[in-house]
Amino acid sequence: MSDIQDRVALLGQRAGDGCEEALRELDQLICSDPRAKKAWLELAWLSAQLPLTATLCGHVVAKQNQSPRSSTTSLTRWLAIAATLLMATGIAYVVFFSSRNSESELAQGQSPGPDLVEKANDVFDANTLEESAETEVILASPAQPEFNNLAHPANRGGLKGGVVVNDDPLPEVISFNFHVRPILSENCYYCHGPDPNHREADLRLDTSEGAESVVEVGHPQDSELISRILDEDPGSQMPPPESGRVISERQKRILAAWIEQGAKYESHWAFTKVQRPELPSVKDDRWPRNEIDQFVLAKLESKDIDPSKRAEPEVLVRRMYLDLIGLPPTPEQSQEFCESFQNDSDAAIDSLADKLLASEHYGERMALPWLDAARYSDSNGFQQDGDRAQWPWRDWVVDAYNDNMPFDQFTIEQLAGDLLPEPTRKQLIATAFNRNHMLNGEGGAIVEEQRNNYVFDRVDTTATTWLGLTMACAQCHDHKYDPITHEDYYQFFAYFNNVDENGGVNVRNGRLQVGTPFIDNPTEEQTRQLETIEAEIAPVNQSLSDADAEITKALRAWEDKNRDDPPSMNRNVFNALKKTPEERNRGEEKLLKDWYLLNAAKDQWKQLKQKQNALYSKKSGVKSTVVTVMIMRDRKKPRKTTIFDRGAYDAPTEEVAANVPHFLPPLPEGADANRLSLAKWLVDRDNPLTSRVAVNRYWQTFFGIGIVKTSEDFGVQSELPSHPDLLDWLAVEFMESGWDVKHMHRLIVTSETYLQSSRFRADLHDVDPENRLLARSPRFRLPTTLIRDAALSTSGLLHKQIGGPPVYPWQPDGLWREFSLEKFAYKPSTGDSLHRRSLYTFWRRTVAPPNMFDSANRQACTVKLSRTNTPLQALVLLNDPVFVEAFCGLASMVLSQSPGSDEQIVRLAFEHATGRKPNQAELGSLLSALEDSREFYAEHVDDAAAYVSIGEAVAVPEDDQAKVTLASLASVVQIIMNTDEFMTRE
């Protein structure tokens, strides 16, 4: 309520200073929000002795019954209202503000501060506006600017740490990290934070020294911090009125209590070493299944909230299948689990978790968020958007998850696999993580500028993915909120500045464009072919080598004879012949000798050369089909790294050496200044960020939101963790398990927290609207990739091949031609390739797959996807060819399995799609829809034929009646697959 009160008072103050827009906004707020009306009436009541108060209250009440205000209002009416607002708000806000602080002090056994007492006495002694000097100060305050015009607008949300901010009693112990820092970071750090270029008054509140300089420990009334916040003089008030920031009453009380309790400063929670916390005690010790549940239940019990009951087995099996392998269970799999669940629910859950974690499709599901973070794509981006072949790295990620590669090894091989002793081809391919950036092959591009852009990208991607830091904010200057300096950024930059690349495209083969360094990645068959060819070439080369002296002698004699009267030959050979052997370079000598062997040498040598050329041509043909993967490989001579003034690559300043951010634990003494040392440092036990960031992302995968909601940012501007001790416990468990990813995933999906019902509870609506306390399991829309995969799997059309080159499913005609300026067109795949998992769909950066909405753009690192629901999405899910194929596919499958009554057919289709039996209301609606569709298609057989002919997955019946039957049932399946239940992770 305090936020509404502050907003009403602030708008009133601005309106009183003549801001008509503020007056309109206040008028609208009072009429639309009962809380605002109540706050305004309370403020008006406090100034009941003022003139015109009755008129004011009458206006507010009467306004509820008026129609919207016309665009033209008399000047007299505006002035009257403004005067009313001015008088009531000015003094009422002072009284209200003072009384709240006085109540706080009295509640803590203190007397109100003398300034507050004097201020209150001044107001209550005043009988008229002219007699109140205090009022005159308030009336003179300047109008507030529009918030959306600010360079850095304030965050005006009502949530912190995902839990509603309210006027609950203050915590007994005020923590700087969890109570004070968020207030200072939001309202003060922009001008009094790490960035010296934007710092005012040479004051830092992000350090203990700076904070101590404005605090009198134990005496909030004597502290400069509090007095400046309470000051009503616009020239002295903090935050300044023009900043648009407002510190609420509760936040002011928190700051005062923190100072009174000793003003203990703490380093940012995410930058402190991770320690395993003690498990909290709980009253209901029967509910927890594992340690996760104890932390969750302890917090719920502290709020007097009960957890939800366990979800039904039909819901659990579908939830676990979708979360762990990204595919829904078949009716048989669902039934098997439900039967086991009835016998022993705990054993059934544990067994299913183990089964799904061992599935080869587990790696496909877990690779999806990692590909987003790695900005993986099958094209380079920019206007040309040439193709690339980085898919072997994508397959490496899938295999790594399936093999349960420890996360520390997973990290080291991707960041520095090329620097390992005698790296394997797979370890080299792993380093493609940091070659997935965009690649500019346009003729006008400045290659050195582009090369530096690629290094910027690697810095930002690595910092976001492993450290959860917005390091990009320090590219041009010191970070404004986090302690990342400009120098820190370029020291980190130095790790990635030695890649042996020039910033351009080095190899072009049709649409394929790649830049060095790269590696060939032949298949087993290609490797066998190349080895066979090499074995055939070796003796031919040896024979020519053995005869080289004799060949050279014969060549010299031929030259002397033909130099003045040469036979027919091309210009380059002719020019080489005209030179003496001493005048020729090595290339010219080889060119002449090759021509001689093929055209003028004796038959034995000629045949050897012809055979050599044929074998090399054959080898080139095989190699042209071998995939080329861009990888990391450093230059032998390191590049010099300098700080760029304001981030401009052509404005170098002082030189720096590779190093990690100064505020984090240092590298081991004597560590090499290379990417391998950096990778090992990231997964060192003392690194406070990597393990927290990783487990938070895993939590986000299964719960929709991380324990830290801002999974992309663990800096001081991040959301507070909803369960800080749980986060740290999971982080330590992850490291001490040997960075065992499957262990962590199993721990989460077998917890009672995860197994709860996701049904909405009215008692949680106000206290926990985002379900951050986890009194129920989350319920959220599936990513589009999984909706598509679920539709294909449910219909029996999904081709479950693991890995391989990208495929080209259906998309609208002409889409690629338009963006490529008619240079190339999209050619859909055929057969099974049309129905591969979404993971394998060709991803073009300039034109992403149009049926995969809410996906990352794959142009930059993305670790948290948006989740929306728009009419365009509904049109895709109803009409996209792959979904229509799925509708017809499931309809065809059901008709082949159940040639019984309409009710049996509809029941079976519903069970296939949702994993449960329909209730009578659902069944009745679907049967009615089936009858309507049958009547329509019976009269429009051509439409039925056209509908079931979309795509190529389902054989179109020859009989008209069969076409009508298939189209009618497909229309019903369309309804089922477009229900919220099908598209939602329940």
Side-chain angles (χ1 to χ4, degrees), residues 643-682:
I643 296 174
F644 294 157
D645 184 32
R646 300 186 65 82
Y649 82 97
D650 56 355
T653 58
E654 60 183 287
E655 185 175 354
V656 294
N659 207 345
V660 298
H662 75 280
F663 61 92
L664 294 174
L667 290 166
E669 189 173 347
D672 294 330
N674 60 21
R675 285 179 284 109
L676 183 58
S677 295
L678 173 65
K680 291 179 178 178
W681 172 82
L682 286 171

Short mmCIF file of all heavy atoms in Angstrom, two decimals, residues 643-682:
data_model
loop_
_atom_site.label_atom_id
_atom_site.label_comp_id
_atom_site.label_asym_id
_atom_site.label_seq_id
_atom_site.Cartn_x
_atom_site.Cartn_y
_atom_site.Cartn_z
N ILE A 643 43.44 -1.29 -23.51
CA ILE A 643 42.12 -0.77 -23.16
C ILE A 643 41.67 0.15 -24.29
O ILE A 643 42.44 0.99 -24.76
CB ILE A 643 42.17 -0.01 -21.83
CG1 ILE A 643 42.52 -0.97 -20.69
CG2 ILE A 643 40.84 0.68 -21.54
CD1 ILE A 643 42.72 -0.28 -19.35
N PHE A 644 40.44 0.00 -24.74
CA PHE A 644 39.90 0.85 -25.79
C PHE A 644 39.14 2.02 -25.15
O PHE A 644 38.24 1.79 -24.33
CB PHE A 644 38.95 0.08 -26.70
CG PHE A 644 39.62 -1.00 -27.51
CD1 PHE A 644 38.88 -2.06 -28.00
CD2 PHE A 644 40.98 -0.95 -27.78
CE1 PHE A 644 39.48 -3.06 -28.75
CE2 PHE A 644 41.59 -1.95 -28.53
CZ PHE A 644 40.84 -3.00 -29.01
N ASP A 645 39.50 3.21 -25.53
CA ASP A 645 38.80 4.38 -25.02
C ASP A 645 37.35 4.35 -25.48
O ASP A 645 37.06 4.30 -26.68
CB ASP A 645 39.50 5.65 -25.52
CG ASP A 645 38.87 6.91 -24.95
OD1 ASP A 645 38.38 6.87 -23.80
OD2 ASP A 645 38.87 7.94 -25.65
N ARG A 646 36.43 4.32 -24.51
CA ARG A 646 34.99 4.25 -24.77
C ARG A 646 34.63 3.06 -25.66
O ARG A 646 33.65 3.10 -26.41
CB ARG A 646 34.49 5.56 -25.40
CG ARG A 646 34.72 6.78 -24.51
CD ARG A 646 34.10 8.04 -25.08
NE ARG A 646 32.64 7.92 -25.11
CZ ARG A 646 31.84 8.13 -24.07
NH1 ARG A 646 32.36 8.47 -22.90
NH2 ARG A 646 30.53 8.01 -24.19
N GLY A 647 35.43 2.01 -25.60
CA GLY A 647 35.12 0.78 -26.32
C GLY A 647 35.42 0.82 -27.80
O GLY A 647 35.04 -0.12 -28.52
N ALA A 648 36.07 1.85 -28.30
CA ALA A 648 36.35 1.99 -29.73
C ALA A 648 37.64 1.25 -30.07
O ALA A 648 38.70 1.57 -29.51
CB ALA A 648 36.45 3.45 -30.11
N TYR A 649 37.56 0.30 -31.00
CA TYR A 649 38.72 -0.54 -31.32
C TYR A 649 39.90 0.28 -31.87
O TYR A 649 41.06 -0.13 -31.76
CB TYR A 649 38.33 -1.62 -32.33
CG TYR A 649 38.31 -1.15 -33.76
CD1 TYR A 649 39.39 -1.37 -34.61
CD2 TYR A 649 37.21 -0.46 -34.28
CE1 TYR A 649 39.38 -0.93 -35.93
CE2 TYR A 649 37.19 -0.02 -35.57
CZ TYR A 649 38.28 -0.26 -36.41
OH TYR A 649 38.26 0.18 -37.70
N ASP A 650 39.60 1.43 -32.48
CA ASP A 650 40.66 2.25 -33.07
C ASP A 650 41.11 3.37 -32.14
O ASP A 650 41.74 4.34 -32.57
CB ASP A 650 40.17 2.85 -34.40
CG ASP A 650 38.88 3.64 -34.26
OD1 ASP A 650 38.31 3.65 -33.15
OD2 ASP A 650 38.45 4.24 -35.25
N ALA A 651 40.82 3.21 -30.83
CA ALA A 651 41.27 4.20 -29.85
C ALA A 651 41.95 3.49 -28.68
O ALA A 651 41.49 3.55 -27.53
CB ALA A 651 40.09 5.04 -29.36
N PRO A 652 43.06 2.79 -28.95
CA PRO A 652 43.74 2.05 -27.88
C PRO A 652 44.43 3.01 -26.90
O PRO A 652 44.90 4.09 -27.29
CB PRO A 652 44.76 1.20 -28.63
CG PRO A 652 45.04 1.96 -29.89
CD PRO A 652 43.75 2.64 -30.25
N THR A 653 44.49 2.58 -25.64
CA THR A 653 45.19 3.38 -24.64
C THR A 653 46.27 2.51 -24.00
O THR A 653 47.15 2.03 -24.69
CB THR A 653 44.20 3.93 -23.59
OG1 THR A 653 43.50 2.84 -22.97
CG2 THR A 653 43.19 4.87 -24.24
N GLU A 654 46.18 2.24 -22.71
CA GLU A 654 47.25 1.51 -22.05
C GLU A 654 47.12 0.00 -22.27
O GLU A 654 46.04 -0.55 -22.44
CB GLU A 654 47.23 1.80 -20.55
CG GLU A 654 45.93 1.42 -19.84
CD GLU A 654 45.94 1.81 -18.38
OE1 GLU A 654 46.65 1.13 -17.61
OE2 GLU A 654 45.24 2.77 -18.02
N GLU A 655 48.28 -0.66 -22.27
CA GLU A 655 48.34 -2.11 -22.48
C GLU A 655 47.99 -2.84 -21.19
O GLU A 655 48.31 -2.38 -20.09
CB GLU A 655 49.73 -2.51 -22.96
CG GLU A 655 49.86 -3.98 -23.31
CD GLU A 655 51.21 -4.31 -23.90
OE1 GLU A 655 52.02 -3.37 -24.13
OE2 GLU A 655 51.48 -5.52 -24.12
N VAL A 656 47.29 -3.99 -21.32
CA VAL A 656 46.93 -4.81 -20.16
C VAL A 656 47.26 -6.26 -20.45
O VAL A 656 47.40 -6.67 -21.61
CB VAL A 656 45.43 -4.68 -19.81
CG1 VAL A 656 45.10 -3.28 -19.32
CG2 VAL A 656 44.56 -5.06 -21.00
N ALA A 657 47.37 -7.05 -19.41
CA ALA A 657 47.61 -8.49 -19.53
C ALA A 657 46.38 -9.25 -19.11
O ALA A 657 45.53 -8.75 -18.36
CB ALA A 657 48.80 -8.88 -18.65
N ALA A 658 46.26 -10.47 -19.56
CA ALA A 658 45.09 -11.30 -19.24
C ALA A 658 44.99 -11.52 -17.74
O ALA A 658 45.97 -11.85 -17.08
CB ALA A 658 45.19 -12.64 -19.98
N ASN A 659 43.78 -11.33 -17.22
CA ASN A 659 43.55 -11.57 -15.79
C ASN A 659 42.05 -11.63 -15.55
O ASN A 659 41.24 -11.26 -16.40
CB ASN A 659 44.16 -10.45 -14.95
CG ASN A 659 44.53 -10.92 -13.55
OD1 ASN A 659 44.07 -11.99 -13.11
ND2 ASN A 659 45.33 -10.14 -12.85
N VAL A 660 41.67 -12.11 -14.36
CA VAL A 660 40.26 -12.22 -13.99
C VAL A 660 39.85 -10.96 -13.24
O VAL A 660 40.70 -10.19 -12.77
CB VAL A 660 40.03 -13.47 -13.12
CG1 VAL A 660 40.40 -14.72 -13.91
CG2 VAL A 660 40.84 -13.41 -11.83
N PRO A 661 38.53 -10.68 -13.10
CA PRO A 661 38.09 -9.47 -12.40
C PRO A 661 38.68 -9.37 -11.00
O PRO A 661 38.74 -10.35 -10.26
CB PRO A 661 36.56 -9.64 -12.37
CG PRO A 661 36.26 -10.46 -13.58
CD PRO A 661 37.40 -11.42 -13.70
N HIS A 662 39.06 -8.16 -10.63
CA HIS A 662 39.82 -7.96 -9.40
C HIS A 662 39.04 -8.29 -8.15
O HIS A 662 39.63 -8.60 -7.11
CB HIS A 662 40.30 -6.50 -9.32
CG HIS A 662 39.21 -5.54 -8.97
ND1 HIS A 662 38.29 -5.06 -9.89
CD2 HIS A 662 38.88 -4.97 -7.78
CE1 HIS A 662 37.46 -4.24 -9.29
NE2 HIS A 662 37.77 -4.16 -8.02
N PHE A 663 37.71 -8.22 -8.20
CA PHE A 663 36.91 -8.42 -6.99
C PHE A 663 36.58 -9.89 -6.73
O PHE A 663 35.94 -10.21 -5.73
CB PHE A 663 35.61 -7.61 -7.08
CG PHE A 663 34.73 -7.99 -8.24
CD1 PHE A 663 33.73 -8.94 -8.09
CD2 PHE A 663 34.92 -7.42 -9.48
CE1 PHE A 663 32.92 -9.29 -9.15
CE2 PHE A 663 34.12 -7.76 -10.55
CZ PHE A 663 33.12 -8.70 -10.39
N LEU A 664 36.99 -10.76 -7.64
CA LEU A 664 36.77 -12.19 -7.48
C LEU A 664 38.09 -12.86 -7.09
O LEU A 664 39.15 -12.26 -7.23
CB LEU A 664 36.22 -12.78 -8.78
CG LEU A 664 34.83 -12.31 -9.18
CD1 LEU A 664 34.44 -12.84 -10.56
CD2 LEU A 664 33.79 -12.71 -8.14
N PRO A 665 38.04 -14.10 -6.59
CA PRO A 665 39.29 -14.76 -6.19
C PRO A 665 40.32 -14.75 -7.32
O PRO A 665 39.96 -14.91 -8.49
CB PRO A 665 38.83 -16.19 -5.87
CG PRO A 665 37.40 -16.04 -5.48
CD PRO A 665 36.86 -14.93 -6.33
N PRO A 666 41.59 -14.57 -7.00
CA PRO A 666 42.62 -14.48 -8.05
C PRO A 666 42.95 -15.85 -8.64
O PRO A 666 42.58 -16.90 -8.09
CB PRO A 666 43.81 -13.90 -7.31
CG PRO A 666 43.64 -14.39 -5.90
CD PRO A 666 42.15 -14.40 -5.65
N LEU A 667 43.66 -15.83 -9.74
CA LEU A 667 44.18 -17.06 -10.32
C LEU A 667 45.24 -17.64 -9.40
O LEU A 667 45.89 -16.92 -8.63
CB LEU A 667 44.82 -16.77 -11.68
CG LEU A 667 43.89 -16.41 -12.84
CD1 LEU A 667 44.71 -15.82 -13.98
CD2 LEU A 667 43.12 -17.63 -13.32
N PRO A 668 45.46 -18.96 -9.47
CA PRO A 668 46.57 -19.54 -8.69
C PRO A 668 47.89 -18.90 -9.09
O PRO A 668 48.09 -18.52 -10.25
CB PRO A 668 46.52 -21.02 -9.07
CG PRO A 668 45.15 -21.25 -9.58
CD PRO A 668 44.72 -19.97 -10.22
N GLU A 669 48.79 -18.78 -8.16
CA GLU A 669 50.08 -18.18 -8.44
C GLU A 669 50.82 -18.99 -9.50
O GLU A 669 50.88 -20.22 -9.42
CB GLU A 669 50.91 -18.10 -7.15
CG GLU A 669 52.19 -17.30 -7.29
CD GLU A 669 52.89 -17.09 -5.97
OE1 GLU A 669 52.25 -17.36 -4.93
OE2 GLU A 669 54.05 -16.67 -5.99
N GLY A 670 51.35 -18.32 -10.49
CA GLY A 670 52.09 -19.00 -11.54
C GLY A 670 51.24 -19.53 -12.68
O GLY A 670 51.76 -20.17 -13.61
N ALA A 671 49.93 -19.29 -12.64
CA ALA A 671 49.04 -19.79 -13.70
C ALA A 671 49.36 -19.09 -15.01
O ALA A 671 49.66 -17.89 -15.04
CB ALA A 671 47.58 -19.55 -13.32
N ASP A 672 49.31 -19.84 -16.09
CA ASP A 672 49.53 -19.26 -17.41
C ASP A 672 48.40 -18.30 -17.75
O ASP A 672 47.24 -18.50 -17.37
CB ASP A 672 49.60 -20.36 -18.48
CG ASP A 672 50.81 -21.26 -18.30
OD1 ASP A 672 51.83 -20.76 -17.81
OD2 ASP A 672 50.72 -22.46 -18.66
N ALA A 673 48.74 -17.26 -18.49
CA ALA A 673 47.74 -16.27 -18.88
C ALA A 673 47.06 -16.71 -20.18
O ALA A 673 47.22 -16.08 -21.23
CB ALA A 673 48.39 -14.90 -19.06
N ASN A 674 46.31 -17.81 -20.10
CA ASN A 674 45.62 -18.31 -21.29
C ASN A 674 44.23 -18.81 -20.93
O ASN A 674 43.84 -18.83 -19.76
CB ASN A 674 46.44 -19.42 -21.98
CG ASN A 674 46.69 -20.63 -21.07
OD1 ASN A 674 45.98 -20.86 -20.10
ND2 ASN A 674 47.72 -21.40 -21.39
N ARG A 675 43.50 -19.24 -21.94
CA ARG A 675 42.11 -19.66 -21.73
C ARG A 675 42.00 -20.90 -20.87
O ARG A 675 40.97 -21.10 -20.19
CB ARG A 675 41.44 -19.90 -23.09
CG ARG A 675 41.09 -18.63 -23.83
CD ARG A 675 40.45 -18.91 -25.17
NE ARG A 675 41.42 -19.34 -26.17
CZ ARG A 675 41.53 -20.55 -26.67
NH1 ARG A 675 40.70 -21.50 -26.28
NH2 ARG A 675 42.44 -20.85 -27.58
N LEU A 676 43.00 -21.75 -20.88
CA LEU A 676 42.94 -22.96 -20.05
C LEU A 676 42.95 -22.58 -18.58
O LEU A 676 42.19 -23.14 -17.77
CB LEU A 676 44.11 -23.88 -20.39
CG LEU A 676 44.15 -25.22 -19.65
CD1 LEU A 676 42.86 -26.02 -19.89
CD2 LEU A 676 45.36 -26.04 -20.07
N SER A 677 43.79 -21.63 -18.21
CA SER A 677 43.80 -21.17 -16.81
C SER A 677 42.47 -20.51 -16.46
O SER A 677 41.96 -20.69 -15.34
CB SER A 677 44.95 -20.17 -16.61
OG SER A 677 46.20 -20.79 -16.78
N LEU A 678 41.92 -19.74 -17.39
CA LEU A 678 40.62 -19.10 -17.15
C LEU A 678 39.54 -20.16 -16.92
O LEU A 678 38.73 -20.04 -15.99
CB LEU A 678 40.25 -18.21 -18.33
CG LEU A 678 38.84 -17.62 -18.30
CD1 LEU A 678 38.69 -16.65 -17.12
CD2 LEU A 678 38.51 -16.91 -19.61
N ALA A 679 39.51 -21.19 -17.77
CA ALA A 679 38.49 -22.23 -17.65
C ALA A 679 38.60 -22.96 -16.32
O ALA A 679 37.58 -23.23 -15.66
CB ALA A 679 38.61 -23.21 -18.82
N LYS A 680 39.81 -23.26 -15.91
CA LYS A 680 40.00 -23.94 -14.63
C LYS A 680 39.61 -23.03 -13.47
O LYS A 680 39.07 -23.49 -12.46
CB LYS A 680 41.46 -24.39 -14.49
CG LYS A 680 41.85 -25.52 -15.45
CD LYS A 680 43.31 -25.90 -15.29
CE LYS A 680 43.68 -27.06 -16.21
NZ LYS A 680 45.11 -27.42 -16.09
N TRP A 681 39.88 -21.74 -13.60
CA TRP A 681 39.49 -20.79 -12.56
C TRP A 681 37.97 -20.71 -12.43
O TRP A 681 37.44 -20.60 -11.32
CB TRP A 681 40.07 -19.42 -12.91
CG TRP A 681 39.59 -18.30 -12.04
CD1 TRP A 681 40.06 -17.96 -10.80
CD2 TRP A 681 38.54 -17.36 -12.34
NE1 TRP A 681 39.37 -16.86 -10.32
CE2 TRP A 681 38.43 -16.48 -11.24
CE3 TRP A 681 37.69 -17.19 -13.41
CZ2 TRP A 681 37.51 -15.44 -11.19
CZ3 TRP A 681 36.76 -16.15 -13.38
CH2 TRP A 681 36.68 -15.29 -12.28
N LEU A 682 37.27 -20.78 -13.55
CA LEU A 682 35.80 -20.70 -13.51
C LEU A 682 35.21 -21.84 -12.69
O LEU A 682 34.18 -21.65 -12.03
CB LEU A 682 35.24 -20.74 -14.93
CG LEU A 682 35.40 -19.47 -15.76
CD1 LEU A 682 34.98 -19.73 -17.20
CD2 LEU A 682 34.55 -18.33 -15.18
#
